[in-house]
Amino acid sequence: MKILVPLKRVPDPELKTKIKDGAIDLSGASWVVNPFDEYAVETALRLLENGDAGTREGGEVVVVTIGPSEAAQQVRSALAMGADRAIRVDAEDKAIDALTVVAVLQAIVAEEKPDLILMGKQAVDGDANQVGQMLAGKLGLPQATFAASIELAEDKASVLVGREVDAGVEYKRIPLPGLVTVDLRIVSPTAVKNHVTPDAFAYGDGPRYASLKGIMAAKKKPLADKTLADYGVTASPVIAEKGVELPPARPPGQKVDDIPTLVQKLVEEAKAL
Amino acid sequence: MRFAFSLEQQALRDAVRDLLGRACPPAVVRAAWGADDDAAPALWPQLARMGVVGMTAPERWGGLGLGELELVGVLEEAGHAALPAPLLETTAVAIPLLAALPDGPVVDGVRDRWLGAAAAGRAVIAVGLAGAPFVADAARAALLLLERDGELHAVPRDAARLTAEASVDGARRLAWVDWTPSAATRVATGDVARDAAARALDRGAVAAAAELCGLGRRMIELTVDHVQVRHQFGRAIGSFQAVKHHLADAHAALELARPCVARAAYALAHDEPGTAVHASLAKAHAGDAARRAGRAALQCHGAIGYSFEHDLHLFMKRAWALAAAWGDAAWHRARIATAVLDHDAAPGAFHA
C-alpha cells in the first residue's frame, strides 16, 4: 500500500509574528512542518505498522513538499519519523497559491499512483483549508475531511473515517484510492486502526519523536528534487497577497456596577441587543 | 576549515531539545527531588526508545556508535532541562569506558551482560573514580564501574554497600560505596586501567561542562523572562543597565565556554594528545560560566529567586553540583598549569 503525504513548511506557530512593510516578516523565522501535515505523516506510519511490535508491515510512505531548497529540512524530519522517500518541488513560497499546489500534486498523484493521499486539513500559516478538497475534486477521488479517526479495512480496499461534527462523530467509509485530510485528534492513542496493531495497543499522544537512528537514516533516504516544469506547471497564482496589517487596537474594557447598566450599555453603546 | 557542528549533529540535538522541551518541564525535575533514591530515572524509557541512552554504545550492543561531537549537543539540552537522569554517568562515561576496554574473559562477560541492557535503558551504570568521594546514581544503578588502587572493577550494585549522601541538588543521588575488590570484578589493571580512568575523567568533565552550558543558558532565559515582566519604579527592571549588564556578562561568559566544550569534544572524538587540557579548559570555563549565570539570575530575580517554590533553584543547584563534580574549576586550572609548565607531570587526584 502506498500512501502519499503532501506537507508544507510553515513559520513556527509558537513564535510571535512580526509585520514589517505591510507583510509578515519572515527574516530569521524558524520553520517547522505544518502540524496537521505532521499528524498526516504519523497517521500514514501508524496505518502501515504494527505499533505494538514496533515493526513496519510493508507499504510505502512518500512525502512531497513544494518549497525552496531550505524546505528539504522539513522533509528530512518526516523521513526521520519513518517516511520512505520524498519529493521536493522547487518553488518560492510566495510564488504559488492553492491552485498551483493542486496542479503539482495532481501530476505527482498521476505519476505515483498512491492508494491513499493523507494530508493535514489545513496549513496553519494561511489557514486556507482548500488543497485537500480541491485535489480530491480535480482527481475525481472520494474524500473524507477532518478525520479524527481512521480504520483501514482488512482487505485494504477502503478506510472508515470518523469526523467530529457538532452532533457527535460522523463515520464515512471511502473506497481506495481516496483522499483523507486529518484533524488534531487523529494522533490520539487509539485513533488509527489497521487490523495489524492490536486494538488494545495505545500509542503516545501526538506524533512520534524521530529517533536518533531515524534522523541518521533520513540522510540516506531518497529525496528527489524536481521543478514545477517537471510537472508541466507554471507558477501563475490567481491569489496575491496585497498587504498585511494588525487589527486596530481595541478600546479598553469597561467595568459596570450592575446588570441594568450592562444591558443599557449593550443596547445603547455596543448596539449588540 | 569549517569548525561547526554538522546538520546531522544539530538535528540530533534539536530532536532531544524537542522531547525534553515537552516532556521535562520543571515539574518533572521537582518531582525527582522527592523520589526514592533507587527510583527509575525520569524519562529513561523515552530517551532509550529515542536512542539517546545508547547513542555511545557500539552497534553490536544495540547502540548507535556515536561520539562526543554528537553527544555534547544532547548533553547541553539535558542540562537546559535539568534532566534528572544519569545521561552523563551512563551514556557519556560508563558505556564508552566499558566499550573501550580490551577484550578479556571478565570484560567480555561484563559487556555481554550489561552493555546491551544499558543501551536499551534497562540498566543504569554508575562510575566512581578514585579521586571522587561519592558515586552519583549508585542506588539506581545495576552496575558500578569503580576505580581503586590503580585497578578498574565492575561491581554489581547488589555486591556493594551504599550509604546515601545528600547533594545540594535534591534531584541528584550520591552515595558512599563500600565494596570488596576481587578477581571476578577486575576489568583492568596497570596502564590500561590508568588510561581508561583518565579518559573517563575527561569524558565526565566534558559532559558535565556541556550540561553546565545548558544550565547556564536556561538560567539566563528564565531571568530574561522575569526581568521583562517584573516592574519597579514604573518600568520593567530589565530596562535598567545594572540588570542588563549582569545578564550580558553572564551570557558572554557562556558563549566563551561553549567553543571550549566543542573543542574538547572534538579532541575526545579524535583521541588527540592534548585531550586532557582541552577537557580541563572546557570544565573550568563552563563551571565558572554556569556559576556566574546562577549568581546573575539569583540577583536579578530578587527575593523570589531564593524561594523553594520558584524554578530557578532547580537549575542553580544542579549547576553548583556539576561545577564541583568531575574536578572543580580550580582543580582543572591547576591541571592546565601543570600541563603548560611541565609536560611530563602526571595528573593528580581530583575532588568531586
Side-chain angles (χ1 to χ4, degrees):
Chain A
M1 180 177 189
K2 185 192 277 190
I3 302 178
L4 185 79
V5 184
L7 62 85
K8 182 183 183 184
R9 70 167 194 160
V10 295
D12 189 341
E14 289 182 18
L15 300 181
K16 197 173 174 185
T17 304
K18 288 182 282 186
I19 294 177
K20 188 179 171 187
D21 302 330
I24 294 173
D25 180 14
L26 294 173
S27 59
S30 65
W31 297 84
V32 296
V33 177
N34 171 43
F36 291 112
D37 296 342
E38 195 177 17
Y39 304 156
V41 174
E42 174 66 29
T43 306
L45 296 171
R46 289 187 188 184
L47 282 172
L48 295 183
E49 70 186 6
N50 182 331
D52 192 26
T55 52
R56 179 72 170 273
E57 305 290 316
E60 185 181 30
V61 177
V62 182
V63 292
V64 54
T65 195
I66 306 169
S69 57
E70 295 81 12
Q73 197 182 338
Q74 283 70 46
V75 169
R76 290 279 178 210
S77 72
L79 294 173
M81 287 173 72
D84 300 287
R85 63 185 171 89
I87 301 166
R88 183 186 69 84
V89 183
D90 192 58
E92 286 305 313
D93 293 317
K94 290 221 164 179
I96 50 176
D97 62 0
L99 273 175
T100 313
V101 171
V102 167
V104 174
L105 292 178
Q106 213 180 333
I108 291 176
V109 170
E111 195 174 285
E112 293 285 340
K113 298 182 176 51
D115 300 292
L116 176 64
I117 304 160
L118 264 175
M119 53 203 299
K121 66 170 183 175
Q122 65 198 61
V124 299
D125 51 358
D127 278 331
N129 184 1
Q130 294 172 343
V131 172
Q133 293 88 332
M134 289 199 294
L135 180 61
K138 286 272 192 184
L139 290 167
L141 289 178
Q143 61 174 302
T145 53
F146 316 130
S149 68
I150 187 168
E151 181 179 340
L152 179 64
E154 211 157 359
D155 62 2
K156 295 184 170 47
S158 66
V159 286
L160 179 66
V161 172
R163 313 168 73 237
E164 291 183 350
V165 293
D166 288 348
V169 180
E170 176 191 43
Y171 287 94
K172 283 192 168 185
R173 183 176 293 282
I174 61 166
L176 297 181
L179 184 148
V180 174
T181 74
V182 300
D183 207 339
L184 169 67
R185 263 183 274 277
I186 196 74
V187 287
S188 56
T190 56
V192 179
K193 304 281 185 202
N194 64 356
H195 292 279
V196 177
T197 298
D199 282 353
F201 179 76
Y203 280 95
D205 205 5
R208 70 197 58 196
Y209 292 101
S211 68
L212 302 194
K213 197 173 185 177
I215 292 169
M216 293 192 299
K219 205 168 70 172
K220 298 182 185 118
K221 289 181 178 176
L223 195 169
D225 279 321
K226 300 281 190 178
T227 62
L228 292 174
D230 290 338
Y231 296 105
V233 177
T234 312
S236 49
V238 294
I239 299 169
E241 184 182 291
K242 293 295 181 191
V244 179
E245 61 184 40
L246 289 171
R250 292 171 59 182
Q254 299 177 35
K255 276 188 182 173
V256 294
D257 293 330
D258 48 37
I259 299 290
T261 317
L262 172 66
V263 173
Q264 185 192 357
K265 281 183 176 287
L266 286 173
V267 171
E268 293 174 4
E269 291 181 23
K271 302 195 188 308
L273 296 175
Chain B
M1 178 183 175
R2 182 174 178 270
F3 189 66
F5 289 105
S6 68
L7 287 177
E8 187 178 270
Q9 287 158 351
Q10 291 174 43
L12 299 179
R13 174 201 183 116
D14 291 347
V16 174
R17 178 191 296 156
D18 273 357
L19 171 69
L20 296 180
R22 293 182 215 183
C24 189
V28 170
V29 186
R30 197 175 285 280
W33 276 57
D36 293 337
D37 282 359
D38 58 354
L43 301 172
W44 210 236
Q46 291 99 310
L47 288 165
R49 229 179 359 257
M50 198 179 190
V52 176
V53 174
M55 66 185 287
T56 54
E59 289 179 26
R60 62 177 284 208
W61 283 292
L64 298 176
L66 296 173
E68 285 76 10
L69 284 169
E70 287 77 20
L71 188 59
V72 281
V74 169
L75 287 166
E76 189 176 328
E77 295 309 323
H80 185 264
L83 175 72
L87 206 55
L88 191 165
E89 291 77 10
T90 298
T91 304
V93 182
I95 289 177
L97 168 61
L98 203 48
L101 289 175
D103 295 347
V106 178
V107 173
D108 293 348
V110 170
R111 277 203 284 247
D112 286 345
R113 180 164 178 204
W114 296 110
L115 259 187
R122 294 194 305 273
V124 167
I125 307 179
V127 179
L129 299 184
F134 312 119
V135 178
D137 288 299
R140 56 189 175 190
L143 182 72
L144 310 171
L145 296 178
L146 301 168
E147 182 193 15
R148 184 187 284 179
D149 300 331
E151 295 181 340
L152 271 180
H153 292 261
V155 183
R157 195 262 320 272
D158 297 343
R161 292 169 296 284
L162 307 184
T163 308
E165 177 68 33
S167 167
V168 63
D169 171 17
R172 192 168 156 83
R173 298 285 177 268
L174 298 179
W176 293 89
V177 178
D178 187 18
W179 56 288
T180 308
S182 72
T185 60
R186 190 179 301 119
V187 290
T189 59
D191 289 349
V192 172
R194 191 197 62 208
D195 292 348
R199 184 46 56 95
L201 169 60
D202 292 338
R203 285 202 184 98
V206 175
E211 289 205 11
L212 284 161
C213 288
L215 285 158
R217 183 161 55 89
R218 183 65 173 271
M219 288 188 284
I220 291 175
E221 287 170 6
L222 278 173
T223 313
V224 169
D225 287 348
H226 176 74
V227 300
Q228 289 182 94
V229 295
R230 173 82 170 95
H231 280 66
Q232 193 57 271
F233 308 114
R235 310 164 60 174
I237 62 171
S239 64
F240 296 118
Q241 278 198 340
V243 171
K244 281 195 277 196
H245 287 189
H246 255 318
L247 293 172
D249 287 347
H251 177 70
L254 269 179
E255 288 305 307
L256 287 172
R258 293 177 74 205
C260 294
V261 177
R263 180 68 184 87
Y266 185 90
L268 272 171
H270 293 83
D271 203 15
E272 290 186 348
T275 296
V277 173
H278 287 300
S280 283
L281 267 171
K283 183 62 169 51
H285 274 295
D288 284 350
R291 290 179 68 93
R292 180 176 201 155
R295 260 200 317 277
L298 190 59
Q299 186 75 24
C300 296
H301 272 81
I304 196 173
Y306 282 88
S307 65
F308 187 82
E309 290 73 16
H310 196 277
D311 292 336
L312 177 61
H313 81 104
L314 302 173
F315 302 93
M316 193 165 55
K317 289 172 182 168
R318 178 72 56 82
W320 291 346
L322 285 182
W326 301 96
D328 64 9
W331 185 86
H332 281 288
R333 271 195 286 271
R335 190 162 77 144
I336 296 164
T338 305
V340 170
L341 299 172
D342 180 0
H343 289 284
D344 299 325
F350 72 98
H351 303 281

